[in-house]
Amino acid sequence: SFGKFRVTNDYGGEVDERLLSAPGVVDVKLPIKLDKSTQSVLRQSVKAAVEKKLSMSIPGPFDHVIYIVEACYRVGTDCSFAAYAYVNHPLSVFFGVNYKYPAVVMHELGHNLNLAHS
């Protein structure tokens, strides 16, 4: 990447690291029922909870933001995917343990970096 892509948890002092569960990790409780919420409601709820906890708008200092949700619930979707991401956008959403698989992470990160399917 010739120095153009770095993975780091150095936030330049913009994040109170005492609020993190681990480097780069923010755990939040959601005030919604996952099995009754659409993906849109889920994303909005996570964003609001993280912003409240960190007292900042996200993505803030983060180039990429990953939401990891315990499972995919069939509300408005068929859950036939491990994760999804937006093209040329900082957000990816992973379900269950799929964040542990490098191929899934790289696939979604590719979308974030403006790559479509080939």
Side-chain angles (χ1 to χ4, degrees):
S1 69
F2 301 99
K4 300 296 183 190
F5 185 78
R6 293 183 320 122
V7 176
T8 179
N9 62 345
D10 177 4
Y11 314 116
E14 293 185 53
V15 175
D16 181 349
E17 295 189 28
R18 296 171 297 177
L19 300 173
L20 304 179
S21 307
V25 178
V26 178
D27 282 324
V28 293
K29 301 273 188 211
L30 302 180
I32 62 172
K33 292 190 176 286
L34 297 179
D35 61 347
K36 306 278 188 231
S37 301
T38 64
Q39 291 299 308
S40 177
V41 169
L42 169 69
R43 287 190 310 274
Q44 292 169 10
S45 183
V46 172
K47 186 175 191 296
V50 171
E51 289 178 340
K52 181 177 180 181
K53 187 169 188 172
L54 297 181
S55 298
M56 68 169 46
S57 295
I58 56 172
F62 313 110
D63 291 324
H64 300 282
V65 176
I66 295 174
Y67 297 165
I68 300 172
V69 184
E70 64 186 21
C72 182
Y73 295 93
R74 295 179 186 269
V75 180
T77 186
D78 63 4
C79 291
S80 62
F81 44 86
Y84 64 91
Y86 295 94
V87 175
N88 202 26
H89 191 276
L91 181 63
S92 297
V93 180
F94 291 78
F95 298 101
V97 299
N98 291 299
Y99 68 94
K100 294 182 179 182
Y101 301 109
V104 177
V105 174
M106 293 311 300
H107 176 95
E108 301 309 336
L109 188 57
H111 290 315
N112 296 143
L113 296 172
N114 205 27
L115 299 172
H117 292 139
S118 61

